[in-house]
């Protein structure tokens, strides 16, 4: 087994928007304030997508899916993730694990953590025990503290696959 690994990190932010439903990790969280964005504004999937692209030095989500392209209007961000995963495999790599942190005062992640992990694991084609979903507030400080938006950070590890 190859011991050549590459790490990738991703970060994303979206502004809250009351008239949209919240999409997170490919799920709709009923009763939660949604996010502004050209696509479905799934801040978590955007961060993971960027982490996957970062691991293979494959650019970023804006390069592959420009918001100026009408094809991506209201798009399911699972499409972006699937394409990034395909690029990782095309680069001769296999995903090892993913660690995601959601930063904001809301929604509360603990009650839905397992659901989010299970959906993200399904999208990443990984066992659930290789997919982590964490959350933190900023203790009321800054724009996340003022509940203006939601941020997400992701790290992935990929392994170079032997021929
Ligand atoms: Mg985004």
């Amino acid at each position: 087994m190859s011991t050549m690994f590459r790490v990738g990190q991703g970060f994303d932010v979206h502004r809250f928007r009351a008239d949209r439903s919240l999409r997170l990790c490919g799920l709709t969280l009923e009763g939660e304030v949604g996010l502004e964005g050209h696509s479905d504004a799934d801040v978590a999937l955007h961060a993971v997508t960027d982490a996957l692209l970062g691991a293979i030095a494959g650019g970023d989500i804006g390069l592959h899916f420009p918001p100026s392209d009408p094809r991506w209007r209201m798009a399911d961000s699972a499409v972006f993730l699937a394409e990034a995963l395909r690029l990782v495999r095309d680069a001769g790599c296999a995903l090892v694990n993913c660690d995601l942190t959601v930063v904001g005062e809301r929604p509360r992640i603990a009650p839905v953590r397992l659901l989010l992990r299970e959906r993200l694991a399904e999208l990443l084609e990984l066992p659930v025990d290789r997919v982590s979903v964490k959350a933190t507030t900023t203790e009321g400080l800054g724009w996340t503290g003022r509940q203006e938006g939601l941020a997400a950070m992701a790290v992935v590890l990929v392994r170079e696959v032997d021929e």
Side-chain angles (χ1 to χ4, degrees):
M1 180 187 280
S2 169
T3 51
M4 283 296 295
F5 292 94
R6 305 189 201 183
V7 68
Q9 64 98 22
F11 175 70
D12 195 33
V13 171
H14 284 259
R15 183 186 297 271
F16 281 119
R17 179 173 153 177
D19 64 347
R20 289 183 82 175
S21 50
L22 181 63
R23 295 280 294 175
L24 205 61
C25 292
L27 295 176
T28 300
L29 299 186
E30 301 294 345
E32 298 289 350
V33 176
L35 297 169
E36 174 77 43
H38 186 69
S39 66
D40 68 0
D42 191 323
V43 69
L45 292 192
H46 293 184
V48 174
T49 298
D50 256 356
L52 289 168
L53 293 171
I56 56 166
D60 58 31
I61 193 168
L63 176 75
H64 293 273
F65 308 101
S68 56
D69 188 333
R71 269 186 303 170
W72 312 125
R73 191 173 136 67
M74 302 302 287
D76 181 347
S77 296
V79 171
F80 307 156
L81 191 80
E83 174 63 6
L85 198 55
R86 189 187 69 76
L87 291 168
V88 165
R89 289 171 178 159
D90 280 359
C93 295
L95 181 59
V96 176
N97 74 309
C98 174
D99 183 16
L100 171 75
T101 304
V102 179
V103 184
E105 303 292 324
R106 58 190 167 127
R108 287 194 60 229
I109 296 298
V112 291
R113 186 195 313 274
L114 185 57
L115 281 174
L116 297 176
R117 287 179 65 207
E118 286 174 342
R119 178 60 179 149
L120 186 55
E122 183 178 26
L123 294 172
L124 291 172
E125 300 172 22
L126 282 178
V128 175
D129 66 359
R130 293 193 186 199
V131 177
S132 160
V133 175
K134 314 198 301 300
T136 187
T137 70
T138 53
E139 299 284 340
L141 296 171
W143 54 266
T144 52
R146 292 189 297 271
Q147 304 192 21
E148 294 170 5
L150 192 61
M153 299 184 288
V155 175
V156 300
L157 190 70
V158 304
R159 179 174 58 81
E160 294 184 358
V161 178
D162 299 319
E163 290 310 315

